[in-house]
């Protein structure tokens, strides 16, 4: 809700600085979006009067104006504006003036534009006549008759007067975020009520009285409601209408609220909508056949042209306003072109109605036609506002002399809405908020919001105005007291009861994994669970793979969000590709998220939801082994240390020569060491070039996906104290000649099994390929660390274990020591 601070002061006396106003309103529950100081961006801009206009001697589209700006002699200003005339009052930017801009046909400049005297086609020009846009007003708020040419002021002003001051342009425009449960705040009166309660002031409600009414509205029009989608419909009549421009005070209010002035009748209906939050509409009575208003749904397939000139196709669920022959408006959304106010309109019907929010929202969505009116109806409007809003329109029309108000109204209100009486307790309010307020203090807070308070003792019976449709139960009353007391004043207390609650073990594992990955230089990302089924095609997943067991969405928004993801990798690669396209040199990212798989055994069974982690790298310093190191460190942090990386050549997402399954050893309680089983934790590798090309990745990319549910099951976060070793270690180096295809992991597994409890660590420190080891061979060198906890090892002790290791390598892998 856009609130003009100057306009707000019409309804309540708030005499504080704009910053204090915003701070206090925030603490009373009104969420602030922005605050803008307007009307202060121009310097040396004055009011001028055009006294004489002559044709430019060398340009057909330019004229030379003599402009009175209050000095001893007029200024000579050259302009190409087509709407200037002698006697017009205009804004004049003097030599050296600063205006917000932009100038016509030029981009907007930061800090505005400085105007200098100069020559235009050989004729001296001592300043510039300004348009709305050049003075900083957005095109959407420029009055209809001022869109082409300079700003022509209505009325008379003193030449040379400061322009912003003469038109009272300076104001503070505050944009509040209004939550869906507070439609009453989508109005100036509603925000005034909030401000008055916050600052302990009174609300001055708008004047709705008409002093010179004639005849009777019932003689002009009849109203019939044929649908339950309309709660109330009021029609008032104004005759002898004079359609013209609105006075400046009215136009300024609309402009500061972000709306374009059209003409006095339309402007007044928009003004009152902003004032009360009640949308209104005016029909030319001569275009209403039979002078009958019938509220009913449309015919299926009916064609109707709205005020924006667009023909729209209706259906039988859309509520319409009809006359005796045709549809004339889409209820709550937009009027029809066949009943709009024209310059020659003489008698109008003022509509103030209440339509069900769900109906208006559905209609607006199906027609693709959102308006200020529909946005208010969608959130729910008090039907009791209709009377005041209709009367206020008539009052303003009479006030500016735009017509004669016909007495009375036609008001159809089948089921009047009455205020609810809500029971609250002083003791409970204090208990919930942790404060000690008296009954009278609570009563004062509630009455400042125009609520009635009855009862005595501990009982409060609160009757809220019907405009506060969010007040339904005792907790709502507690909230009202809390916010007016001040959220910042509420004491901080520890919840009573069991304070030993803790998060689950699985959450602890996830938190530790996130911490570890961030410590390893990766950024966490989060992508959508609804994905396109084409994602698995892009990463070359096989047709018969479990990754294609999608859970399909019954009513998807589109093909791109039609299934639940079974793997995280397609979305990870999309993120990497997007970063690469934006010239990000290096990226390390990970995602912890859920995956979903349909029940393959029972189509009607519930799908399976699992935890997964995806990791993605690219950059000049990244390769297969940096990714392997990151995964190893991550799993070590989670207590999973005995890892094996087994080559994988058939998984289409990864390069067939640079891919591995990530395995871990799981010990069974009823088995010895040789009974350990390998459990798959995930897969890693370099992304296949074809896949990388699909995602626009022009560099090598490395990725992994972990079955994080399995990781969680195997994780061991237990921290056990281990004293520093008392006895020294002994190290032995071995260099082995092996086949090129043999993996280091396979060798390490045999060494570890043969080394027993005395072997404490294995470190690979060299890999050599060359003539000395022969074609198809390689030399791998390990450093083996031996230690006992209870004594210092002798050479015989170490030789025995070391010899056993060499024998095991010979027997199981046919490996010998390098000469």
């Amino acid at each position: 809700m856009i609130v003009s601070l100057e306009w707000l002061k019409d309804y309540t006396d708030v005499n504080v600085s704009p910053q204090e106003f915003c701070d206090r309103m925030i603490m009373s529950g009104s969420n602030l979006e922005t605050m803008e100081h307007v009307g202060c961006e121009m310097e040396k801009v004055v009011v001028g009067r055009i006294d004489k206009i002559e044709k430019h001697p060398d340009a057909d589209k330019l004229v030379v104006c003599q402009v009175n700006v209050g000095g001893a002699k007029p200024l000579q200003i050259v302009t190409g504006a087509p709407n200037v005339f002698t006697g017009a009052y205009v804004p004049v930017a003097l030599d050296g003036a600063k205006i917000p801009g932009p100038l016509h046909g030029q981009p907007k400049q930061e800090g505005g534009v400085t105007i200098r005297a100069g020559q235009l086609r050989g004729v001296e020009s001592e300043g510039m006549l300004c348009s709305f846009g050049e003075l900083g007003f957005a095109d959407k708020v420029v009055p209809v008759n001022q869109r082409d040419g300079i700003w022509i002021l209505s009325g008379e002003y003193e030449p040379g007067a400061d322009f912003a001051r003469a038109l009272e342009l300076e104001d503070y425009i505050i944009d509040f975020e209004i939550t869906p449960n507070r439609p009453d705040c989508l109005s100036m009166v509603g925000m005034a009520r909030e401000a008055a309660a916050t600052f302990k002031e009174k609300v001055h409600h708008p004047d709705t009285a008409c002093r010179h009414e004639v005849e009777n509205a019932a003689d002009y029009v009849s109203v019939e409601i044929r649908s339950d989608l309309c709660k109330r419909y009021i029609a008032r009549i104004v005759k002898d209408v004079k359609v013209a421009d609105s006075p400046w005070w009215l136009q300024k209010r609309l402009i500061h609220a972000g709306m374009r002035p059209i003409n006095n009748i339309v402007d007044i209906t928009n003004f009152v909508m902003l004032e009360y939050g009640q949308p209104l509409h005016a029909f030319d009575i001569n275009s209403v056949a039979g002078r009958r208003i019938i509220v009913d749904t449309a015919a299926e397939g009916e064609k109707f042209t709205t005020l924006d000139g667009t023909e729209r196709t209706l259906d039988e669920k859309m509520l319409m306003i009809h006359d005796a022959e045709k549809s004339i408006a889409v209820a709550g959304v937009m009027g029809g072109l066949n009943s709009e106010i024209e310059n020659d309109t003489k008698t109008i019907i003022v509509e103030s109605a209440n339509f069900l929010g769900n109906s208006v929202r559905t209609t607006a969505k199906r027609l693709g036609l959102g308006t200020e009116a529909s946005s208010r109806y969608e959130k729910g409007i008090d039907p009791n506002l209709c009377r005041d809003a209709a009367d206020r329109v008539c009052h303003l029309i009479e006030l500016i002399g735009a017509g004669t108000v016909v007495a009375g109204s036609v008001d159809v209100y089948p089921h009047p809405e009455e205020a609810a009486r809500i029971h609250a307790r002083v003791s409970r309010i204090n208990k919930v908020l942790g404060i000690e307020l008296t009954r009278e203090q609570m009563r004062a807070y509630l009455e400042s919001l125009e609520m009635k308070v009855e009862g005595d003792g501990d009982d409060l019976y609160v009757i809220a105005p019907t405009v506060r449709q969010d007040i339904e139960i005792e907790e709502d009353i507690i909230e009202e007291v809390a916010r007016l007391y001040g959220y910042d004043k509420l004491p901080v207390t520890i919840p009573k009861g069991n304070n030993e609650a803790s998060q689950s073990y699985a959450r602890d594992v996830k938190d530790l994994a996130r911490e570890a990955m961030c410590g390893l230089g990766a950024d966490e990302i989060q992508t959508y669970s609804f994905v396109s089924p084409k994602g698995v095609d892009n990463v070359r997943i096989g047709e018969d793979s479990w990754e294609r067991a999608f859970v399909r969405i019954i009513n998807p928004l589109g093909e791109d969000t039609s299934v639940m993801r079974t793997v995280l990798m397609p979305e990870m690669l999309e993120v990497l590709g997007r970063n690469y396209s934006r010239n990000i040199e290096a990226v390390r990212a990970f995602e912890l998220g859920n995956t979903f798989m349909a029940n393959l055994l029972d189509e009607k069974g519930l799908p399976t939801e699992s935890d997964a982690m995806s990791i993605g790298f690219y950059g000049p310093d990244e390769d297969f082994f940096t990714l392997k190191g990151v995964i190893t460190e991550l799993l070590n942090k989670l207590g999973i240390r005995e890892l094996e990386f087994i080559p994988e050549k058939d998984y289409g997402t990864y390069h067939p020569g640079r891919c591995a399954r990530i395995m871990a050893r799981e010990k069974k309680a009823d088995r010895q060491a040789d009974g350990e089983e390998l459990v798959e934790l995930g897969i890693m590798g370099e992304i296949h070039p074809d896949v990388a090309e699909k995602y626009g990745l022009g560099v090598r990319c490395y990725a992994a996906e972990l079955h994080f549910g399995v990781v969680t099951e195997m994780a061991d976060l237990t921290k056990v104290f281990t004293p520093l070793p008392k006895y020294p270690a002994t190290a032995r180096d071995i260099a082995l000649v092996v086949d090129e295809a043999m993996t280091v992991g396979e060798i390490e597994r045999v060494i570890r099994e043969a080394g027993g409890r005395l072997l404490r660590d294995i470190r690979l420190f060299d890999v050599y390929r060359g003539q000395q080891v022969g074609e198809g061979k390689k030399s791998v060198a390990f450093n083996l660390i031996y230690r006992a906890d209870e004594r210092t090892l002798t050479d015989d002790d170490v030789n025995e274990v070391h010899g056993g290791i060499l024998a095991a390598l010979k027997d199981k892998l046919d490996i010998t020591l390098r000469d």
Side-chain angles (χ1 to χ4, degrees):
M1 174 67 191
I2 297 176
V3 174
S4 157
L5 198 53
E6 180 190 3
W7 188 3
L8 188 75
K9 291 178 181 179
D10 290 348
Y11 312 106
T12 187
D13 299 321
V14 178
N15 189 23
V16 296
S17 69
Q19 188 60 56
E20 183 180 352
F21 174 81
C22 292
D23 292 344
R24 295 271 299 275
M25 291 293 285
I26 290 171
M27 295 315 301
S28 67
S30 297
N31 295 326
L32 178 71
E33 289 281 347
T34 59
M35 180 178 71
E36 182 182 5
H37 188 191
V38 300
C40 60
E41 310 96 333
M42 55 189 82
E43 299 175 11
K44 296 184 71 174
V45 179
V46 300
V47 176
R49 185 184 66 229
I50 300 176
D51 289 342
K52 185 178 180 181
I53 301 176
E54 296 178 338
K55 196 170 171 45
H56 191 288
D58 295 323
D60 293 337
K61 293 185 179 181
L62 298 178
V63 294
V64 182
C65 301
Q66 302 298 321
V67 184
N68 181 356
V69 292
K73 64 176 184 176
L75 295 183
Q76 178 172 287
I77 298 177
V78 179
T79 181
N83 61 332
V84 294
F85 58 89
T86 302
Y89 287 86
V90 295
V92 180
L94 304 177
D95 182 29
K98 287 187 177 180
I99 60 175
L103 298 181
H104 180 68
Q106 298 182 16
K108 189 168 184 176
Q109 300 179 24
E110 186 175 351
V113 179
T114 300
I115 303 302
R116 297 294 182 189
Q119 290 189 345
L120 286 179
R121 300 291 292 270
V123 175
E124 189 73 21
S125 183
E126 301 175 282
M128 187 179 81
L129 308 185
C130 302
S131 66
F132 267 86
E134 288 161 344
L135 293 179
F137 291 90
D139 182 66
K140 70 175 184 177
V141 303
V142 177
V144 170
N145 62 348
Q146 302 273 10
R147 283 183 290 185
D148 299 318
I150 62 165
W151 186 347
I152 305 295
L153 307 183
S154 56
E156 297 184 0
Y157 296 85
E158 180 184 351
D162 181 82
F163 183 77
R165 192 173 298 115
L167 272 74
E168 299 179 338
L169 290 176
E170 187 170 359
D171 196 359
Y172 286 88
I173 307 300
I174 304 167
D175 190 359
F176 288 100
E177 177 192 4
I178 306 301
T179 52
N181 67 318
R182 292 298 307 274
D184 59 295
C185 288
L186 289 172
S187 66
M188 292 301 299
V189 172
M191 292 307 301
R193 186 184 298 111
E194 292 293 302
T198 300
F199 292 95
K200 297 181 172 58
E201 298 288 349
K202 297 290 185 183
V203 178
H204 312 305
H205 286 275
D207 188 356
T208 59
C210 295
R211 275 77 181 175
H212 306 287
E213 296 178 326
V214 299
E215 302 175 1
N216 193 318
D219 298 332
Y220 281 78
V221 67
S222 66
V223 176
E224 180 183 357
I225 298 178
R226 296 180 181 176
S227 173
D228 293 338
L229 300 177
C230 178
K231 291 184 178 181
R232 187 179 189 183
Y233 196 103
I234 291 179
R236 292 211 63 175
I237 305 297
V238 181
K239 67 176 191 174
D240 303 327
V241 171
K242 305 176 187 68
V243 179
D245 292 338
S246 299
W248 171 243
W249 66 265
L250 179 54
Q251 292 191 42
K252 182 178 66 172
R253 295 281 193 261
L254 295 178
I255 289 171
H256 282 177
M259 298 187 74
R260 184 196 304 280
I262 306 295
N263 59 53
N264 51 7
I265 302 300
V266 175
D267 292 351
I268 286 173
T269 59
N270 285 333
F271 179 91
V272 176
M273 177 182 68
L274 295 173
E275 196 173 40
Y276 278 94
Q278 168 64 50
L280 301 112
H281 189 67
F283 300 102
D284 186 335
I285 199 170
N286 290 330
S287 63
V288 179
R291 297 194 173 185
R292 294 179 62 196
I293 295 291
I294 302 170
V295 186
D296 200 359
T297 53
E300 185 67 35
E302 178 183 349
K303 303 293 185 181
F304 181 73
T305 303
T306 47
L307 276 172
D308 58 1
T310 303
E311 184 180 75
R312 304 178 187 276
T313 302
L314 311 177
D315 63 47
E316 59 185 5
K317 294 182 180 180
M318 296 179 181
L319 190 64
M320 301 292 292
I321 310 301
H322 307 267
D323 60 18
E325 300 174 355
K326 61 185 181 301
S327 298
I328 57 176
V330 182
V333 182
M334 184 177 283
L337 195 62
N338 56 11
S339 60
E340 71 172 328
I341 302 298
E342 303 282 1
N343 290 336
D344 59 352
T345 296
K346 296 302 178 187
T347 303
I348 63 171
I349 301 171
V350 178
E351 169 195 278
S352 182
N354 187 276
F355 310 111
L356 288 185
N358 289 342
S359 169
V360 174
R361 183 179 186 278
T362 300
T363 299
K365 186 176 180 181
R366 287 181 179 175
L367 295 179
L369 187 61
T371 61
E372 284 280 351
S374 67
S375 68
R376 283 170 166 77
Y377 277 121
E378 288 172 8
K379 296 174 178 64
I381 299 177
D382 176 21
N384 293 326
L385 285 175
C386 293
R387 165 67 65 184
D388 288 340
D391 293 348
R392 178 65 169 167
V393 169
C394 294
H395 168 83
L396 291 175
I397 289 176
E398 184 182 80
L399 179 68
I400 67 173
T404 302
V405 178
V406 174
S409 65
V410 179
D411 185 356
V412 181
Y413 195 5
H415 306 290
E417 191 162 314
E418 297 182 358
R421 192 168 185 260
I422 301 161
H423 178 229
R425 293 157 290 174
V426 173
S427 58
R428 174 159 172 75
I429 294 173
N430 281 327
K431 182 178 180 181
V432 171
L433 300 182
I435 55 179
E436 292 294 334
L437 292 179
T438 66
R439 172 191 173 82
E440 290 308 311
Q441 287 174 305
M442 294 181 187
R443 179 173 186 154
Y445 287 141
L446 296 172
E447 288 181 343
S448 70
L449 293 167
E450 300 185 331
M451 300 180 186
K452 294 180 181 179
V453 181
E454 299 173 351
D456 54 22
D458 193 48
D459 295 318
L460 294 173
Y461 292 95
V462 182
I463 304 172
T466 51
V467 72
R468 288 298 305 274
Q469 298 184 6
D470 60 309
I471 304 296
E472 297 177 337
I473 56 177
E474 183 179 21
E475 282 70 17
D476 296 328
I477 303 299
I478 296 174
E479 182 180 5
E480 297 303 294
V481 172
R483 68 188 187 87
L484 290 182
Y485 175 77
Y487 290 132
D488 56 327
K489 297 178 183 177
L490 294 176
V492 178
T493 57
I494 297 175
K496 295 180 180 179
N498 181 12
N499 295 328
E500 298 180 0
S502 61
Q503 66 182 14
S504 67
Y505 178 75
R507 179 64 64 86
D508 287 337
V509 174
K510 288 181 180 179
D511 287 349
L512 184 57
R514 287 189 173 96
E515 181 182 330
M517 287 303 298
C518 290
L520 291 164
D523 295 310
E524 184 173 6
I525 65 170
Q526 188 170 9
T527 60
Y528 291 111
S529 298
F530 293 179
V531 298
S532 168
K534 295 179 181 177
V536 294
D537 294 331
N538 293 337
V539 296
R540 302 175 77 241
I541 298 294
E543 290 295 333
D544 56 350
S545 299
W546 61 265
E547 289 95 331
R548 293 182 179 272
F550 294 116
V551 178
R552 299 191 176 274
I553 308 303
I554 295 174
N555 56 341
L557 296 176
E559 176 68 14
D560 289 344
T561 55
S562 61
V563 299
M564 304 290 282
R565 63 188 179 187
T566 55
V567 287
L568 304 182
M569 193 51 58
E571 283 63 54
M572 171 59 73
L573 294 178
E574 280 189 14
V575 171
L576 296 182
R578 192 178 308 121
N579 279 271
Y580 181 78
S581 70
R582 295 175 182 175
N583 299 318
I584 306 300
E585 183 180 6
V587 171
R588 278 192 178 190
F590 74 96
E591 178 178 12
L592 255 174
N594 294 349
T595 57
F596 309 84
M597 189 172 73
N599 191 322
L600 299 178
L601 301 178
D602 181 3
E603 292 184 358
K604 297 182 179 180
L606 292 176
T608 301
E609 181 177 351
S610 305
D611 291 329
M613 173 186 271
S614 63
I615 303 171
F617 291 0
Y618 75 78
D621 298 325
E622 308 293 1
D623 59 22
F624 180 92
F625 296 104
T626 58
L627 176 61
K628 179 183 176 184
V630 165
I631 293 171
T632 301
E633 181 64 20
L634 166 67
L635 295 176
N636 284 346
K637 287 281 188 181
L638 300 180
I640 306 173
R641 294 179 174 84
E642 294 188 24
L643 301 176
E644 291 192 24
F645 295 84
I646 299 177
E648 171 63 59
K649 297 182 179 181
D650 298 325
Y651 197 84
T653 305
Y654 299 97
H655 191 296
R658 300 168 191 151
C659 176
R661 298 278 179 180
I662 306 165
M663 314 296 286
R665 291 196 170 274
E666 181 182 39
K667 291 185 178 181
K668 300 299 181 180
D670 58 345
R671 297 185 184 180
Q672 301 299 320
D674 60 356
E676 294 178 347
E677 291 185 358
L678 284 176
V679 178
E680 183 176 338
L681 302 184
I683 190 168
M684 62 159 288
E686 180 182 330
I687 295 298
H688 195 285
D690 292 347
V691 175
E693 184 179 357
K694 281 275 188 182
Y695 291 94
L697 286 159
V699 294
R700 288 186 172 184
C701 178
Y702 304 90
E705 183 149 354
L706 303 178
H707 308 306
F708 207 78
V710 179
V711 171
T712 300
E713 291 176 1
M714 294 194 66
D716 182 4
L717 304 188
T718 305
K719 296 185 183 299
V720 179
F721 171 73
T722 303
L724 292 174
K726 295 181 180 179
Y727 302 99
T730 299
R732 298 284 177 90
D733 293 342
I734 57 174
L736 308 172
V737 177
V738 300
D739 292 337
E740 181 65 48
M742 183 169 291
T743 64
V744 170
E746 190 175 1
I747 300 171
E748 286 186 351
R749 179 177 58 80
V750 173
I751 294 174
R752 197 176 298 278
E753 289 175 353
R757 64 183 184 85
L758 295 185
L759 179 64
R760 296 303 173 91
D761 198 9
I762 308 170
R763 298 173 187 170
L764 174 72
F765 68 87
D766 183 55
V767 177
Y768 171 77
R769 297 174 180 87
Q771 294 180 356
Q772 296 182 22
V773 295
E775 186 73 20
K777 299 286 185 177
K778 62 184 176 182
S779 170
V780 290
F782 295 93
N783 177 244
L784 308 183
I785 307 296
Y786 300 96
R787 178 189 285 120
D789 294 331
E790 66 283 354
R791 60 190 174 85
T792 300
L793 294 176
T794 65
D795 284 343
D796 291 340
D797 296 329
V798 174
N799 289 338
E800 182 181 351
V801 177
H802 194 69
I805 291 173
L806 297 178
L809 289 173
K810 177 64 176 175
D811 293 341
K812 295 183 178 181
L813 300 178
D814 193 24
I815 295 176
T816 59
L817 289 173
R818 178 180 171 186
D819 295 335

